Amino acid sequence: MPFDHRKYVAFQPVRKTDRRWPNQVIEQAPSWCAVDLRDGNQALVKPMTVNQKQRLFDLLVRLGFKEIEIGFPAASQPDFDFCRKLIEENRIPEDVTIQVLTQAREELIARTFEALDGAQRAIVHVYNSTSTVQREQVFGLDRDGIRDIAVQGASWVKQGAAARPDTRWTFQYSPESFTGTELDFAVEVIDAVTAVWRPDQGQPVIINLPATVEMATPNVFADQIEWVCDRIQYRQHLRVSVHTHNDRGCAVAAAELAVMAGADRVEGTLMGNGERTGNMDLITMAMNLYSQGVDPQLDLSGMAEITEVVEACTEIATHPRHPYAGELVFTAFSGSHQDAIKKCLARRCEGEAWNVAYLPIDPGDVGRRYEEVVRINSQSGKGGVAYVLERDYDITLPRWLQIEFSKLVQKAAEVNGGEIDSLSIRRLFDEHYLGLVPGWELQSYDLHRDSDGVVAQVQVGGEGVETHLLKGRAQGAVEAVASALEHRFGIAIAVEAYDEFALGEGTSANALACIRVALEGNAGSAAALAEDTTSATIQALLSAVSRLLAAGAERPVRETVGTA
Ligand code: KIV
Ligand code: ZN
C-alpha cells in the first residue's frame, strides 16, 4: 500500500500541568524580524539579485521592520556583496538593525564578520542543528558533541565581535530543528550558549526557537515555548524569538500561540515565502493583530505595493485567496453574503467600530476599493445586482424589479460562464428596461385635475415618426394615461407594480420610474429615466405597454397610434 498512514508516528505532546499560555491574550505586537532576504531567498528557484534584494530591503524598511535578516554572507557571494553594499553605501536607517546568519563554523563566522565590517549595529545569528534525527542520522554525534558545536560557535562569535568594538553587536542563537529536539536538551544547549555570551552582563542576546519543520499542532509548539522559557537561565536578560515554518499549514497560528506562551519576537516573511510550504507569513500575523485592534507596528496600508514588490523579487504570484492580500479575499459572489455586506455597509456610521458581516477588516484600510467587495456571477442574487447599480450608477431598484432583473443577470452570467462586470449589468438593464419601442417616445404631456378626476393628454412620437396625442381620464395620473392607452387600443391594462425614485447627483436624469403592467394575461416591466418623476412614470408606462403590444404582434404598433 503506497498510501499508508501506519508509516508515521504521532508527535508526542509535552507533558505539562502548569500550562498558562491558553489564558493569555495578545495585546501588543511582538517585535518582528523579516527573514525574506535570507530564509525566503534560500527557498527560491532563482535567488534574488542584489538589485532585487535592495528593492525588498527598502520595502521592509518602509513597512516599519526594525530587524531584517539580510542573508547568509559566508555562504553566498551575492549575500556578501549585498551586505557590503548596505554598509558601504550607508543604506541602513538609524533605527534598523541588519541580521546575518552563519553556521557555527570558525571560517564561516570569520567571513561573516568580514561582511559586517564597519556596520553600526548588527545581529550575528549563529545556529546548529540539535534534533534527535539530525544528531543521530546527519551528524552522528551525541548530545555533548552537538552542545560543543553550539558553545564553540558562540565563542567564535564573541571573539569576532570583540575584535570589532565599534559595532553594536547583538548575538542570536538558534537550536535549529528545535521542534524535533528533546526539551531538556534544548535548554541545556541554550544555557551553554548563554553561559558564553552572558546576557546578564549586558550583552544583547536573542534565543530563536525555530519550528524548522512544523511537526505538531500549534498548541504543542506553544507548550514547547512556555516550557523552555520557564527553564532557561537569564530569561529576563534575553529576548526569546520564534521562527515557524508552515509544513502543516499552521505557521501563523503557531507563532501567535508562541507569543501567548512568552515569545517576544517573531521571525517570518512577507506572504510566507520560504522553504517547502514557507515561513510564517508576517502580513497575516500582523493583520490578525490589526483586526483585533492591536497596533501591529507595521504599515501595511499599501497592500498592492507590497504584493507587487514581493512578486517581482520572488517571482511567485500571490494566491488570490491569500489572507488580507489576495485579489479575492474581500469579494463576495454569493447572494446572501452580498446582501449581508450591503446592509451592514449601509447602516455603518463613520467612526464606529468595524462590524460588517463577512469582512473581518475594512478593505479600504489596505488600499482596496469597495468596488471589489461585491462582484457578480451566476451565484449572485438580487442584493448584489442592486448594490452594483446603486453603487456605480445611482440607480435604486424596487425589490420586485431587483428580483426580476437579477434573474436576467444570472442568465447572462450563466451564458458567459463567469463574472459579469458592472458595465455589462448596466447595459443589460438599459436594454431590457429603458429601451424605447420606435414611435413610443414621450414628447410632451399635460395633466390637470377637473371635477371628474385627472385628465391626461400625452404626445408620443419619435425621430422621423409622426406625433400622436392620447387622451384619458381617471382618478390618478398613471391610471389616466393607462386609460388613454386602453381607449386607444381597446385593451385592459393592469398596473401590477409601480415605483419612482429621485436620482442621486452624479446622474444626468433626475428621476427613475419602474412599472410592471399586465395586458390580457401577459405581463412586462419597463423603466424610464427622465428630468422629472411624472415624465419618467409616463414613459415607463408607454414603454411597458408598447413592448407588450409589439410582442403581441397582432397590432402593428406604429399604425395603431392614431391622432386623438
Ligand atoms: O528554519 C530554521 O530553522 C532556520 C534557522 C536557521 C533559524 O531558518
Ligand atoms: Zn527557517
Side-chain angles (χ1 to χ4, degrees), residues 14-306:
V14 182
R15 282 185 213 299
K16 210 170 179 319
T17 50
D18 60 346
R19 200 170 274 121
R20 302 180 307 283
W21 63 263
N23 294 325
Q24 302 304 310
V25 174
I26 309 177
E27 287 169 341
Q28 190 183 313
S31 52
W32 307 108
C33 175
V35 299
D36 305 67
L37 297 164
R38 194 278 298 173
D39 215 357
N41 189 43
Q42 283 183 304
L44 293 177
V45 176
K46 227 168 88 194
M48 284 178 234
T49 61
V50 168
N51 283 346
Q52 283 172 316
K53 282 195 138 197
Q54 184 65 61
R55 192 170 175 207
L56 193 46
F57 178 83
D58 292 342
L59 174 73
L60 292 166
V61 169
R62 279 201 301 283
L63 300 183
F65 287 96
K66 302 299 176 206
E67 293 179 341
I68 302 174
E69 192 168 72
I70 57 160
F72 193 159
S76 135
Q77 190 59 41
D79 280 15
F80 188 94
D81 295 342
F82 179 59
C83 188
R84 294 308 312 146
K85 180 180 161 80
L86 289 179
I87 296 166
E88 283 164 19
E89 295 177 10
N90 212 8
R91 287 172 178 266
I92 308 162
E94 275 299 312
D95 58 349
V96 172
T97 305
I98 54 166
Q99 171 173 317
V100 293
L101 182 75
T102 176
Q103 280 175 0
R105 284 170 39 197
E106 190 171 16
E107 70 285 7
L108 298 185
I109 291 172
R111 176 84 170 145
T112 302
F113 277 100
E114 215 181 297
L116 290 170
D117 193 48
Q120 301 210 358
R121 296 162 307 284
I123 302 169
V124 179
H125 178 186
V126 61
Y127 76 95
N128 70 315
S129 212
T130 54
S131 67
T132 357
V133 64
Q134 297 256 9
R135 285 198 316 264
E136 291 167 2
Q137 302 193 40
V138 181
F139 296 100
L141 286 172
D142 59 11
R143 285 184 174 205
D144 290 351
I146 292 292
R147 190 199 52 230
D148 289 350
I149 293 175
V151 170
Q152 188 60 82
S155 308
W156 285 322
V157 167
K158 192 174 172 180
Q159 286 162 23
R164 291 172 179 79
D166 291 340
T167 301
R168 290 212 314 271
W169 298 105
T170 297
F171 302 154
Q172 175 167 328
Y173 173 68
S174 291
E176 203 232 30
S177 60
F178 163 74
T179 39
T181 304
E182 304 87 333
L183 291 178
D184 64 325
F185 182 54
V187 170
E188 181 186 329
V189 178
I190 293 165
D191 283 350
V193 166
T194 55
V196 177
W197 286 346
R198 298 305 299 265
D200 57 317
Q201 293 178 5
Q203 172 58 53
V205 169
I206 299 166
I207 293 298
N208 184 49
L209 302 174
T212 304
V213 176
E214 183 173 56
M215 302 171 84
T217 47
N219 60 306
V220 173
F221 186 62
D223 278 352
Q224 292 174 317
I225 300 302
E226 195 172 70
W227 201 98
V228 169
C229 284
D230 282 347
R231 285 165 180 79
I232 49 173
Q233 266 197 49
Y234 309 126
R235 171 65 188 95
Q236 69 277 28
H237 298 292
L238 50 81
R239 289 200 284 159
V240 170
S241 172
V242 290
H243 172 116
T244 56
H245 279 268
N246 200 38
D247 299 84
R248 297 168 53 95
C250 305
V252 169
E256 288 174 330
L257 268 50
V259 169
M260 289 161 63
D264 311 298
R265 179 183 190 260
V266 171
E267 293 194 345
T269 61
L270 298 179
M271 321 296 291
N273 172 46
E275 298 281 8
R276 308 178 305 281
T277 53
N279 283 68
M280 202 293 305
D281 174 19
L282 291 163
I283 304 262
T284 302
M285 182 163 173
M287 289 305 300
N288 284 353
L289 290 171
Y290 180 85
S291 73
Q292 300 301 301
V294 175
D295 180 356
Q297 303 283 326
L298 295 173
D299 178 1
L300 303 177
S301 57
M303 204 60 89
E305 190 210 356
I306 297 172

Side-chain angles (χ1 to χ4, degrees), residues 379-430:
Q379 298 173 88
S380 308
K382 64 175 182 358
V385 172
Y387 180 79
V388 169
L389 279 181
E390 221 171 297
R391 180 192 70 198
D392 297 347
Y393 306 105
D394 256 319
I395 291 179
T396 310
L397 296 187
R399 198 180 137 75
W400 60 268
L401 193 54
Q402 287 179 16
I403 296 168
E404 188 182 309
F405 182 50
S406 67
K407 286 185 186 139
L408 287 174
V409 173
Q410 189 171 30
K411 244 189 214 117
E414 274 164 11
V415 169
N416 91 8
E419 186 178 356
I420 178 154
D421 65 19
S422 161
L423 192 62
S424 309
I425 291 173
R426 174 65 208 255
R427 284 201 187 117
L428 206 61
F429 180 76
D430 290 1

